[in-house]
Amino acid sequence: MTKAIPARNSTGDLSEPEVIPRSPVAKMKLFFRLHWRRGAPGQPTPPWVMRYCYRTWLVALAFKLVGSSWDMSWHFKWLRDDLAPPHLINSVGTVMVCVLVAIHSFTGMGVDRRALRLMQVGTTIFLIAAPLDVINHSLNGLDITSWSPTHGLLYLGTAIMTLGAIDGWLKGTEPGRLRTLVSTGLWIFFLENMFFPNGQQEYGILSLRAWDRGAPTGEQTLLQFAADDIGRPIDREAILHFALPIDDWVYPVWGIGVMALVLAAARHTIGKMWAATAVATGYVLYRAVIWPLLMWSDFPTSTVPFYLIGVGLAVDLAFRVARGHRTFGAGVGALLVTAFGFGALWLQGQLRPWLLGDAVTESAPPIGYWTVPVVLAGVAVLWALATPVAGWWEARTRKRRAADLLPGAVT
């Protein structure tokens, strides 16, 4: 772990100001006055700079989160896409990320080489994918699904840049409450980005039910686009194709299997009991908060993935039961994740008939329950492989760092 220590100021000594201003703008001015000089990754970074930098990362990712959440809802209501408000909000976060990565790259502060490379690669992929997505929309109209190739590049870029932020924060701060809170927040953003494609089914099922009860949420031009895409009049089949174009097996495999692996990585890196549950709960709480906000603003709503809390709980219990035994932990983790994940998802799916009877709505998307053994086997294998792969990567990183410290090594 890189210990956060005072860095040299503009006069060349190691002193730092006794009083750090509270204003973010004043902190930014102080940072540029004291530390704006070129340096290699791994520069000593004062604790206040680390805190200020990574809190700004949280703000930037929050803008991207709000923009992407609204964007999903927006595209189940409007066909218009260019300069849509959700895109502008997301762009604010993207610009902030670009500025942060530029500062890390120039000063070398707050990151080591691996964290910086992840930030740079992720941001580059995102900046390449964004215009490609605009071109795709210009040529083909609105994407019919959140699972399109250009969208996939956007998710990939965001995931890699967020991993860079997680890596940099964990290496550059001492254990403590703030370290745990910020790393938990960063993992919530990572989980949201990875889970995001499943929103297609969560918004789609309620949009289909809105059509069934005679109150479609989409504007006429959007409905016409959906119909023209498959050469039909505006009818239920056209709406079904637009709202739920993804096979029913995708939702549980991604939402339970893949998210379990994400939460296991979060639990491992945060290193605290119930960390996976905290990350899953934080994301679900966010989804539960934006649900009424979207409804009150007359935008389409989605089902909320409450079952993710069960997946997080299963991961935490597996870590507690296994206590470092890799193969046993993978088996227990796969069993608990499958039982808790599919059990909670099935219970969530029963909320509509239990509470609302014959109301034309749903509490969960359509589920392919035949995927239970697929998720069980997949999680077991990938969880078991995670430890040796991580060990190999850490050994490779230590070897590279040792080489960098040799006399005459080029950094």
Side-chain angles (χ1 to χ4, degrees):
M1 181 190 304
T2 303
K3 185 177 181 180
I5 60 176
R8 295 182 184 276
N9 64 16
S10 57
T11 63
D13 60 39
L14 290 174
S15 62
E16 284 292 325
E18 294 183 0
V19 178
I20 305 299
R22 297 177 63 87
S23 166
V25 175
K27 285 180 180 177
M28 179 180 65
K29 292 179 178 178
L30 180 64
F31 169 79
F32 278 100
R33 180 167 61 85
L34 296 181
H35 303 297
W36 186 247
R37 66 182 55 79
R38 190 167 186 82
Q43 292 297 307
T45 306
W48 76 267
V49 174
M50 284 293 297
R51 293 192 297 268
Y52 176 57
C53 173
Y54 281 93
R55 284 171 179 168
T56 307
W57 266 100
L58 290 175
V59 173
L61 293 173
F63 273 107
K64 291 178 68 64
L65 170 66
V66 172
S68 61
S69 299
W70 190 11
D71 186 54
M72 179 72 82
S73 177
W74 178 279
H75 287 309
F76 275 91
K77 181 179 178 69
W78 303 104
L79 180 62
R80 180 169 62 88
D81 185 56
D82 294 336
L83 298 179
H87 290 182
L88 299 179
I89 294 174
N90 190 282
S91 296
V92 171
T94 300
V95 170
M96 292 180 67
V97 166
C98 291
V99 171
L100 285 165
V101 174
I103 291 173
H104 286 303
S105 300
F106 182 79
T107 66
M109 298 183 73
V111 290
D112 68 353
R113 184 160 62 176
R114 185 177 73 183
L116 180 60
R117 292 294 180 266
L118 288 170
M119 293 176 180
Q120 291 170 334
V121 170
T123 304
T124 300
I125 291 174
F126 188 93
L127 293 178
I128 292 173
L132 289 178
D133 192 51
V134 172
I135 294 172
N136 178 44
H137 286 202
S138 299
L139 295 177
N140 302 314
L142 180 68
D143 278 340
I144 206 71
T145 172
S146 61
W147 293 88
S148 70
T150 53
H151 289 164
L153 284 176
L154 293 172
Y155 309 146
L156 177 63
T158 301
I160 295 174
M161 73 171 70
T162 307
L163 282 178
I166 293 170
D167 195 37
W169 172 254
L170 289 174
K171 290 177 180 173
T173 53
E174 297 289 353
R177 182 181 180 186
L178 182 64
R179 184 176 190 263
T180 299
L181 289 174
V182 173
S183 56
T184 300
L186 290 170
W187 272 112
I188 290 173
F189 288 123
F190 186 86
L191 177 71
E192 182 276 335
N193 174 72
M194 293 296 292
F195 186 84
F196 185 83
N198 260 6
Q200 174 78 45
Q201 290 94 309
E202 292 173 343
Y203 280 92
I205 187 59
L206 293 191
S207 292
L208 180 65
R209 294 297 179 248
W211 170 270
D212 289 340
R213 64 175 180 267
T217 55
E219 64 164 350
Q220 186 65 25
T221 56
L222 179 61
L223 301 179
Q224 189 63 57
F225 171 84
D228 292 343
D229 190 64
I230 57 174
R232 291 188 59 85
I234 300 176
D235 57 10
R236 192 180 191 276
E237 184 173 340
I239 303 305
L240 177 64
H241 173 73
F242 172 75
L244 294 172
I246 308 301
D247 291 340
D248 293 350
W249 64 266
V250 174
Y251 187 82
V253 168
W254 195 261
I256 297 175
V258 176
M259 294 310 107
L261 298 173
V262 170
L263 290 169
R267 170 61 180 80
H268 173 73
T269 57
I270 296 172
K272 298 291 184 180
M273 189 181 302
W274 311 122
T277 305
V279 170
T281 301
Y283 172 61
V284 171
L285 284 176
Y286 167 75
R287 292 288 302 273
V289 168
I290 66 166
W291 195 94
L293 295 178
L294 291 171
M295 182 181 66
W296 292 335
S297 56
D298 197 31
F299 274 89
T301 56
S302 68
T303 61
V304 177
F306 294 107
Y307 67 92
L308 276 179
I309 298 175
V311 177
L313 181 60
V315 169
D316 283 326
L317 289 175
F319 270 79
R320 187 170 178 82
V321 171
R323 297 187 183 277
H325 297 284
R326 186 181 75 212
T327 304
F328 178 64
V332 170
L335 285 171
L336 289 175
V337 163
T338 304
F340 281 46
F342 278 95
L345 185 52
W346 180 84
L347 287 173
Q348 180 172 331
Q350 303 311 305
L351 291 179
R352 194 270 302 161
W354 287 347
L355 299 179
L356 300 175
D358 295 330
V360 185
T361 187
E362 292 293 345
S363 51
I367 307 300
Y369 285 102
W370 62 266
T371 57
V372 168
V374 176
V375 171
L376 176 64
V379 171
V381 171
L382 293 175
W383 192 318
L385 290 175
T387 299
V389 169
W392 168 82
W393 181 261
E394 288 300 327
R396 181 174 179 270
T397 301
R398 286 194 298 268
K399 184 177 179 180
R400 177 182 294 173
R401 287 176 182 167
D404 289 344
L405 294 176
L406 292 174
V410 178
T411 59

